[in-house]
Amino acid sequence: MSAAAVERPHAPAHKPLTLLEQADQLMEQLPGFRVEILGGVLTVTPPSDFGHAKGLSSLRDTLAAAGLNRGETLVLEAIGLWLPDGQESFAIPDLAVVDADAEEHIVEYECVDPVSFRMVLEVTSGNYGNDLRTKVAAYGAAKVPVYVIVDRKHERLHVLTEPIEGGYAMHRVHVPGEKVVLPESIGAEVTLDVTQVLDDSRRRTPRR
């Protein structure tokens, strides 16, 4: 006598996680890491090394000393910038100059509408290609007026202005020995000493 087959009910299929839900999971699993969604792709950046942190601190001091952290503007680290590409994308620039009322322009996922940003700044780390290529396209498309890159790998300072779809119309590269005056559209006159900026940001060799 043969046994009749028993049909088991199908287990309900799990709904795939959205990119934002995946980002939440990664943030919980990797405290201290920076999680972003750039062009629909999840990216993860390790915590800052000493030179990266020191360089950012010095740059923030320079911008604050010029008066950019009071009145009409604020200087903020690691604030989310919502990218208008229709793919639930966001970036977290190392440093940003934003309008003083930026908090009133939070749109999605605790990120701020790019209209509030006057400048973003990145100090390159291991995944420097994101800063030099992916984010150039992302910030340009978001119409962030000024993008500054401290390129530690190639010992250069990049200043990008005039955002266009896919990047920036103006891209100036500065080397040690130069002094760079940032566009006054950020809210104050700021001069950066390229040698000093690169030295402050230099990756330190651990002592043995």
Side-chain angles (χ1 to χ4, degrees):
M1 180 174 153
S2 61
V6 177
E7 291 199 12
R8 300 179 182 274
H10 289 292
H14 288 290
K15 184 180 178 182
L17 296 178
T18 67
L19 279 175
L20 291 178
E21 289 169 339
Q22 293 178 54
D24 280 334
Q25 282 193 350
L26 284 171
M27 289 177 191
E28 291 178 5
Q29 295 167 1
L30 301 170
F33 284 67
R34 183 170 300 183
V35 179
E36 302 168 287
I37 304 176
L38 303 171
V41 177
L42 273 167
T43 67
V44 180
T45 304
S48 299
D49 58 76
F50 187 88
H52 189 283
K54 181 183 177 185
L56 276 181
S57 180
S58 296
L59 285 162
R60 179 169 183 159
D61 287 348
T62 298
L63 296 174
L68 288 170
N69 205 30
R70 60 178 182 269
E72 295 183 357
T73 55
L74 296 171
V75 181
L76 301 175
E77 293 185 42
I79 181 175
L81 185 159
W82 189 254
L83 296 170
D85 61 6
Q87 302 187 73
E88 292 191 323
S89 297
F90 66 93
I92 304 177
D94 286 326
L95 203 63
V97 177
V98 299
D99 294 337
D101 66 350
E103 192 172 7
E104 299 174 16
H105 296 275
I106 295 174
V107 287
E108 297 281 350
Y109 203 65
E110 286 301 309
C111 294
V112 177
D113 190 306
V115 72
S116 293
F117 287 76
R118 300 191 181 195
M119 184 183 84
V120 292
L121 182 148
E122 302 279 6
V123 177
T124 62
S125 51
N127 55 354
Y128 63 90
N130 276 342
D131 296 330
L132 294 171
R133 291 186 291 274
T134 308
K135 288 190 172 182
V136 169
Y139 292 146
K143 301 191 186 312
V144 177
V146 182
Y147 178 25
V148 176
I149 309 169
V150 180
D151 182 354
R152 300 194 295 170
K153 180 176 176 64
H154 304 102
E155 292 281 304
R156 298 170 179 171
L157 184 78
H158 302 251
V159 179
L160 292 79
T161 56
E162 299 182 23
I164 56 176
E165 191 66 33
Y168 287 81
M170 296 297 297
H171 183 167
R172 291 188 171 88
V173 180
H174 303 276
V175 297
E178 292 186 56
K179 288 185 168 55
V180 180
V181 179
L182 298 180
E184 290 186 10
S185 61
I186 67 175
E189 184 174 314
V190 178
T191 301
L192 299 180
D193 182 323
V194 178
T195 301
Q196 187 66 53
V197 169
L198 291 171
D199 186 59
D200 287 340
S201 306
R202 186 164 287 112
R203 194 183 296 273
R204 270 55 181 177
T205 302
R207 292 184 179 181
R208 300 294 181 187

